[in-house]
Amino acid sequence: MHDATPLIATIVGGLVLAFFFGAIAHRLRLPILAGYLLAGVVAGPFTPGYVADAHIAQELADLGVILLMFGVGLHFSVKDLMAVKAISIPGAAVQMAVATALGMLLGWALGWPLAQGFVFGLALSVASTVVLLRAIEERRLLDTDRGRIAVGWLIVEDLAMVLALVLLPAIAGFLGAEQGAPQQSMGELAKVVAFTFGKVALFIALMLVVGKRLIPWVLQSVAQSGSRELFRLAVLAIALGVAFGAARLFDVSFELGAFFAGMMMGESKLSQQAAEETLPLRDAFAVLFFVSIGMLFNPGILLESPWIVLAACLIIIVGKFVAAFVIVRAFGRPLKTALTISVSLAQIGEFSFILAGLGVSLGLLSAEARDVLLAAAIVSILVNPLLFVALDRWVRRAEAAEIPVVEAIPDELEPQPVSALKGHAVLVGFGRVGRRVFEKLRKTGQPILVIETDEDAVRPLREHGGAEVVVGNAASGAVLAAANLAQAASLIVAVPNPFEAGQIVRSARAERPDLDIVARAHSEECVEHLASLGASRVIYGEQELARSLFEASCERPSAPPVF
């Protein structure tokens, strides 16, 4: 038997350990992320036993972040980014300034050099892309105003960190911190800053002018070939190729390059299919990202410097939370929006680690400060899902007690008022299957209400009529409530995802025990799953296809008998 290469050993070891500890965490009703991080600690160099290759694990994690940012870009158009720029740009700038100042204050109290305190505080100021997106995607917030503000805020932070990573060597030389580095003048520093801004601006302009036309055209051309394998390869090639090219040619981060690649691909009508094709890889590499973080963690720092770690955690979880909350409320946004964004940003991640590593190599950050940063990052990542759970519970209690958690400026995509329709059919999903169901329903003259997450898909219905539309995820109780199930004649669940369909069926059955619920399935296991959750009838695609083929063959007089 051949010995496993470091790459294979790292992938297999990371995924197996992540599954094992993730399953335990889920069993104990803890955040699954805790299991992934623990798997990394077990596979890391600071614990006995198996030790994975940390360098390879980090590169695999970078792939995960690239694919994740690409997926976000697919759902985030230029119009969306411009719609939230008024709050995202000043909000991110002020919050980063507050967190950096608090980090410098902690460094001053500990007697650290000014440059070390600055780098430490800057690393505390930027939130993790993976953690934030995982949290808002799980709660179906990506297509809401809250989600768009959070993602826009994150993009601004990423842009700031791109500039910081490029400028930090110049700042190190200017301060004379790097061993043997000559002192730089303000004029030289200004040239570096201007050159960096110019490269980032050039990349963005190139993507908006050329990429916006070229990427959708390439995707459409490949789709016409009829090869799903080639289409999947094209999506991955565009995502990874643009990310790599952005980093090599423009010194832009992989993550930002992938985000713009996804945003340009989102202009294509095939963007939904592109997102589905990359989803399995995104999930797998996102797991490896959390494993890689756990591998960097040295548990000994908790015993050596517990109070410093606690202070750093308070800056991340409390300081950043309060700063974001005050900023969002100052812009007149709803209380629920302010809380959601504040909780989303109360953690740090991948850019913090990159900045810390660069700071150590330049002599701006000590090894102790780096270990404190890693410990605080892991604690914040573990605490963040618990903050979201607490927020969800508070929102449910507030809504039950009729406390106004949504006031001032309503979210653009918040659940709509309850429909006034009666005896109507509620159709969930307006994809290829949903559209065909809609056409059949419309011929009956029955009132129709369509629920769909993709606003672009249902825009023709809003413009030309034919049905009421609720934009949102039907797995959310608030969205289902807007459909007025109490007065509905039937619910048709046409979404392909069995887990999402199951949530919808279960929620609808709990709200209306006598409602006629029809759902679609792709396997016999899905049929049993949906039926057990309360579906009145489940349509199994292959079974219906077989029945139609049989009936069509029997209609032909010359057809041979079928047994």
Side-chain angles (χ1 to χ4, degrees):
M1 180 180 293
H2 296 288
D3 293 335
T5 65
L7 175 61
I8 295 176
T10 301
I11 293 176
V12 173
L15 293 178
V16 170
L17 288 173
F19 168 73
F20 178 75
F21 288 104
I24 293 176
H26 182 69
R27 185 77 173 179
L28 298 176
R29 295 185 178 181
L30 297 173
I32 296 181
L33 295 184
Y36 300 159
L37 292 169
L38 181 57
V41 174
V42 171
F46 302 104
T47 54
Y50 168 74
V51 177
D53 190 308
H55 179 70
I56 291 177
Q58 184 57 52
E59 291 187 344
L60 293 172
D62 290 341
L63 280 175
V65 178
I66 289 172
L67 292 173
L68 190 69
M69 287 300 294
F70 173 72
V72 173
L74 283 172
H75 296 92
F76 204 84
S77 66
V78 178
K79 181 180 68 175
D80 296 333
L81 190 57
M82 293 298 102
V84 298
K85 69 179 185 299
I87 182 173
S88 294
I89 294 176
V94 172
Q95 190 205 41
M96 291 184 72
V98 170
T100 302
L102 291 175
M104 293 178 68
L105 183 62
L106 175 61
W108 173 80
L110 297 172
W112 290 352
L114 181 64
Q116 176 165 313
F118 172 75
V119 175
F120 183 80
L122 191 61
L124 295 178
S125 69
V126 59
S128 166
T129 300
V130 179
V131 175
L132 186 150
L133 294 177
R134 176 68 65 88
I136 64 176
E137 283 183 340
E138 285 179 352
R139 287 158 181 81
R140 311 294 195 273
L141 297 176
L142 194 57
D143 293 321
T144 66
D145 194 50
R146 287 175 284 162
R148 290 174 177 176
I149 293 173
V151 173
W153 199 302
L154 184 69
I155 296 303
V156 174
E157 288 189 350
D158 285 353
L159 279 171
M161 292 306 294
V162 169
L163 295 176
L165 292 173
V166 175
L167 296 176
L168 197 59
I171 295 175
F174 179 74
L175 297 176
E178 188 176 5
Q179 292 295 330
Q183 196 83 1
Q184 288 183 308
S185 66
M186 288 296 295
E188 293 173 330
L189 183 60
K191 289 180 181 178
V192 173
V193 174
F195 186 61
T196 301
F197 272 102
K199 287 190 292 185
V200 173
L202 179 60
F203 167 73
I204 295 176
L206 186 65
M207 292 301 296
L208 294 177
V209 175
V210 179
K212 187 175 182 179
R213 295 171 174 81
L214 181 61
I215 292 177
W217 177 80
V218 170
L219 204 63
Q220 188 69 33
S221 300
V222 174
Q224 291 175 355
S225 70
S227 172
R228 182 175 181 180
E229 180 179 353
L230 193 59
F231 180 82
R232 183 184 299 117
L233 183 61
V235 172
L236 292 175
I238 291 172
L240 299 177
V242 172
F244 185 78
R248 293 299 295 263
L249 300 177
F250 300 94
D251 288 329
V252 175
S253 70
F254 289 120
E255 294 83 356
L256 192 64
F259 172 79
F260 272 95
M263 196 160 63
M264 297 305 101
M265 191 177 290
E267 301 294 328
S268 169
K269 296 180 180 179
L270 299 169
S271 59
Q272 184 63 34
Q273 184 177 350
E276 293 174 357
E277 295 295 340
T278 58
L279 185 59
L281 276 177
R282 280 157 48 195
D283 288 344
F285 281 108
V287 170
L288 291 175
F289 164 77
F290 290 106
V291 173
S292 71
I293 293 178
M295 291 175 62
L296 297 173
F297 178 54
N298 180 8
I301 194 68
L302 297 176
L303 300 177
E304 297 170 4
S305 308
W307 298 112
I308 302 178
V309 173
L310 177 61
C313 291
L314 290 176
I315 292 174
I316 297 168
I317 299 172
V318 179
K320 291 176 63 176
F321 178 95
V322 172
F325 182 84
V326 172
I327 294 166
V328 177
R329 291 295 285 168
F331 276 85
R333 296 287 176 165
L335 177 60
K336 186 164 62 174
T337 298
L339 289 172
T340 301
I341 294 172
S342 301
V343 170
S344 300
L345 299 168
Q347 38 78 20
I348 62 174
E350 56 276 3
F351 264 122
S352 304
F353 309 140
I354 297 172
L355 184 65
L358 182 60
V360 171
S361 67
L362 294 174
L364 293 174
L365 198 68
S366 66
E368 178 192 11
R370 178 198 59 195
D371 291 340
V372 169
L373 189 68
L374 291 174
I378 289 181
V379 171
S380 71
I381 290 173
L382 290 174
V383 170
N384 196 251
L386 302 179
L387 294 178
F388 265 106
V389 170
L391 174 62
D392 293 341
R393 290 178 178 175
W394 179 83
V395 169
R396 285 196 295 268
R397 287 198 300 266
E399 290 176 343
E402 298 184 354
I403 298 175
V405 296
V406 180
E407 68 276 24
I409 301 175
D411 285 354
E412 179 185 351
L413 293 179
E414 286 290 327
Q416 301 177 4
V418 177
S419 172
L421 292 177
K422 295 182 180 180
H424 56 293
V426 178
L427 174 60
V428 180
F430 201 66
R432 290 177 295 178
V433 174
R435 285 186 174 88
R436 287 170 169 79
V437 175
F438 172 78
E439 292 300 329
K440 298 288 185 181
L441 286 172
R442 187 167 60 174
K443 292 178 181 178
T444 67
Q446 183 182 17
I448 309 169
L449 185 145
V450 176
I451 301 178
E452 170 60 48
T453 58
D454 185 359
E455 188 175 18
D456 292 333
V458 292
R459 183 169 288 117
L461 294 181
R462 285 185 162 176
E463 293 175 353
H464 306 296
E468 281 195 18
V469 175
V470 174
V471 176
N473 192 293
S476 167
V479 173
L480 273 183
N484 191 15
L485 292 184
Q487 304 288 336
S490 62
L491 170 66
I492 304 170
V493 183
V495 295
N497 188 308
F499 299 103
E500 185 177 341
Q503 288 181 310
I504 297 168
V505 170
R506 179 171 53 191
S507 300
R509 180 58 68 206
E511 182 176 342
R512 175 88 180 275
D514 62 333
L515 182 64
D516 182 26
I517 302 176
V518 184
R520 62 181 286 196
H522 291 291
S523 66
E524 294 180 357
E525 291 78 9
C526 290
V527 173
E528 296 178 1
H529 173 67
L530 295 173
S532 67
L533 293 175
S536 309
R537 287 166 289 166
V538 182
I539 307 302
Y540 177 23
E542 293 184 4
Q543 186 179 50
E544 292 302 311
L545 178 60
R547 179 187 301 170
S548 297
L549 288 172
F550 172 78
E551 293 175 352
S553 66
C554 291
E555 290 175 0
R556 296 178 56 188
S558 59
V562 179
F563 300 96

